Amino acid sequence: MAQIEYTEENWDSGRWPNISWKEMACRHTGTCHVDPVFVDRLQKLRNEYGKAVRITSGYRSPEHPAEASKPGKTGTHTRGIAVDIQVSGLDAYMLLSVATAMHFSGIGVSQQGDAAGRFLHLDDAPDAQGQPRPWVWTY
């Protein structure tokens, strides 16, 4: 998987009509280093799901507070191969079904608290020692 640095100017909105640069860029630094193949898969997920999705976190730079506290700073968000999507209830179940059928390798499920804090994490990380893929977890 190869990360490419995207800006608002070079974001391919024709290729990814339902995914914006703004939602994929790091909320902390404004940079956006994502794998275009991963974004292709997100667009396909959106097409198959048939509804809009709200990406609350895409790329995270190593300086992002959520990443800076992690050892090694090489999480899936930092590698441009992960997103968190705000979704709850039946919509979460339906999106989870589509993501599973599409073989996303990492699926994190957080469905506690109010609807604004509920999400699905999706990533395309390869197998790692001690963490075979596919991998599903809850928060």
Side-chain angles (χ1 to χ4, degrees):
M1 295 185 180
Q3 273 186 355
I4 295 176
E5 182 174 359
Y6 288 97
T7 64
E8 279 189 275
E9 291 75 32
N10 72 357
W11 185 258
D12 193 343
S13 58
R15 182 174 176 179
W16 307 307
N18 303 110
I19 302 165
S20 72
W21 172 86
K22 186 175 181 178
E23 64 190 336
M24 291 301 292
C26 179
R27 306 265 189 276
H28 186 71
T29 65
T31 57
C32 185
H33 299 264
V34 294
D35 182 333
V37 173
F38 179 72
V39 184
D40 287 340
R41 286 178 42 73
L42 290 177
Q43 181 61 54
K44 183 177 179 187
L45 173 82
R46 163 55 181 83
N47 295 346
E48 303 254 338
Y49 178 56
K51 293 182 174 184
V53 296
R54 181 165 185 258
I55 297 172
T56 60
S57 185
Y59 172 72
R60 292 185 199 147
S61 73
E63 295 80 27
H64 188 286
E67 298 299 324
S69 62
K70 293 179 182 177
K73 299 180 186 176
T74 58
T76 53
H77 285 276
T78 304
R79 289 183 276 159
I81 56 170
V83 292
D84 295 335
I85 298 172
Q86 184 180 18
V87 63
S88 63
L90 180 59
D91 287 326
Y93 176 78
M94 291 176 6
L95 187 61
L96 178 62
S97 296
V98 174
T100 302
M102 289 182 61
H103 305 288
F104 279 86
S105 66
I107 299 174
V109 180
S110 176
Q111 294 293 295
Q112 297 179 8
D114 66 10
R118 295 178 183 204
F119 66 92
L120 291 179
H121 164 100
L122 302 176
D123 72 52
D124 264 347
D127 283 347
Q129 188 171 3
Q131 192 175 25
R133 296 293 179 131
W135 194 263
V136 179
W137 65 94
T138 61
Y139 293 92

